């Protein structure tokens, strides 16, 4: 398969979970992949090894997307390794669910700095790498942007902001051959959901019971849609919010 043959893609926050799955699926479709990570070097190197062992091409690059200098380094390393950039996937993100009584300015800034500012910085840097040929940006948002859950006001706000950025920039990029879309995952089983105790909990059971397709999502469910959006098959799709949630967040 070669939907993304010779394309160069940066996936932020790709050392585990959805990001790691997107990196693997992109590489399997022929893309040269930059696996960005903030702190989990071991995880990122594991993702790269799995890709290269399977005949793909990938490198790991450390960088905290909320820091301009780290974002600059990420794109410099990408250019040094592959010379160009075709696809940016803004996947790096964090979530902190807590009652409003426990709200803190520190938590607010941490979530907005990574989920929103980090995506903006990466998008800004990508434009120089895309050049006149254009490019493709995918923002990994959340179904929580449309259907916020209790105790998730700040997290939901970050994802709603990311979707607004997607729509605004799709219009700003008019005539520049740059597509930008948001993917809104539903409940997905990841290392984070397992370590937080959500996987296997009563809360998960309740969510699955109200999900039309009757199961928790897997990272590959999101990765397969990301491949489509990144490919020429989606060449007339931009500025869209695409829900991938088993129907629980259907609009």
């Amino acid at each position: 398969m070669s939907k993304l043959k010779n394309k160069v893609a940066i996936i932020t926050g790709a050392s585990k979970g959805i990001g790691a799955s997107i990196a693997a699926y992109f590489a399997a479709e022929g893309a040269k992949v930059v696996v960005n990570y903030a702190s989990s070097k071991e995880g990122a190197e594991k993702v790269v090894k799995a890709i290269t062992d399977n005949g793909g091409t990938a490198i790991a690059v450390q960088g905290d997307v909320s820091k301009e200098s780290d974002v600059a380094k990420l794109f410099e390393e990408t250019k040094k390794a592959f010379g160009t950039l075709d696809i940016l996937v803004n996947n790096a993100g964090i979530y902190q669910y807590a009652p409003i009584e426990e709200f803190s300015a520190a938590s607010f800034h941490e979530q907005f700095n990574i989920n929103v500012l980090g995506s903006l910085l990466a998008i800004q840097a990508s434009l120089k790498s895309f050049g006149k040929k254009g490019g493709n940006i995918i923002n990994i948002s959340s179904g929580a942007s449309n259907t916020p859950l209790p105790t998730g006001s700040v997290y939901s706000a970050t994802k709603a902001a990311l979707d607004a950025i997607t729509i605004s920039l799709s219009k700003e990029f008019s005539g520049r051959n740059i597509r930008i879309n948001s993917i809104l995952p539903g409940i997905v089983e990841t290392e984070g959901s397992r370590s937080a105790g959500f996987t296997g909990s009563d809360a998960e059971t309740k969510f699955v019971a109200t999900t039309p397709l009757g199961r928790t999502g897997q990272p590959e469910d999101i990765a397969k849609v990301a491949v489509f959006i990144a490919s020429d098959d989606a060449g007339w799709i931009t500025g869209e919010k695409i829900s991938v949630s088993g129907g629980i967040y259907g609009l």
Side-chain angles (χ1 to χ4, degrees):
M1 295 187 289
S2 56
K3 287 181 178 291
L4 304 177
K5 185 177 181 180
N6 294 324
K7 299 291 187 181
V8 176
I10 291 175
I11 297 101
T12 66
S15 64
K16 58 185 178 181
I18 291 172
S21 188
I22 291 174
Y25 272 79
F26 273 27
E29 291 288 352
K32 300 172 184 177
V33 176
V34 179
V35 177
N36 162 253
Y37 67 97
S39 58
S40 182
K41 182 179 181 180
E42 181 180 357
E45 290 179 344
K46 183 178 178 180
V47 173
V48 169
K49 185 176 187 304
I51 288 172
T52 55
D53 285 352
N54 199 39
T57 303
I59 61 170
V61 179
Q62 191 277 333
D64 179 342
V65 296
S66 69
K67 298 177 180 177
E68 284 190 78
S69 58
D70 281 19
V71 171
K73 182 185 74 172
L74 170 61
F75 283 81
E76 287 167 5
E77 291 297 320
T78 299
K79 184 177 181 180
K80 188 184 301 182
F82 301 124
T84 189
L85 179 69
D86 302 288
I87 305 161
L88 167 66
V89 180
N90 281 315
N91 172 75
I94 61 170
Y95 58 88
Q96 297 172 2
Y97 281 80
I100 191 61
E101 290 86 353
E102 298 176 17
F103 166 82
S104 70
S107 174
F108 173 91
H109 288 298
E110 185 177 11
Q111 291 183 77
F112 266 87
N113 282 351
I114 294 174
N115 298 1
V116 183
L117 176 61
S119 296
L120 284 168
L121 290 174
I123 291 169
Q124 186 180 58
S126 74
L127 301 181
K128 298 177 183 177
S129 298
F130 289 158
K132 293 182 179 180
K133 65 178 173 50
N136 196 328
I137 300 166
I138 300 172
N139 291 326
I140 303 300
S141 178
S142 169
S145 69
N146 288 324
T147 311
L149 299 174
T151 72
S153 56
V154 176
Y155 172 71
S156 299
T158 67
K159 294 305 186 177
L162 190 58
D163 289 343
I165 289 166
T166 294
I167 296 168
S168 176
L169 289 181
S170 70
K171 296 174 172 61
E172 188 172 329
F173 293 152
S174 178
R176 297 170 67 176
N177 197 31
I178 298 173
R179 295 194 293 113
I180 180 169
N181 293 283
S182 285
I183 294 177
L184 283 60
I187 305 303
V188 177
E189 182 181 355
T190 63
E191 293 89 340
S193 70
R194 290 192 290 270
S195 64
F198 178 80
T199 300
S201 68
D202 289 343
E204 182 187 26
T205 300
K206 290 178 181 177
F207 271 107
V208 170
T210 57
T211 299
L213 292 183
R215 66 173 175 85
T216 299
Q218 298 298 314
E220 55 264 33
D221 292 317
I222 311 306
K224 292 172 184 178
V225 176
V227 167
F228 168 68
I229 295 299
S231 75
D232 290 341
D233 290 343
W236 208 45
I237 299 176
T238 194
E240 298 291 351
K241 300 189 297 180
I242 301 163
S243 184
V244 188
S245 65
I248 194 171
Y249 290 132
L251 300 179

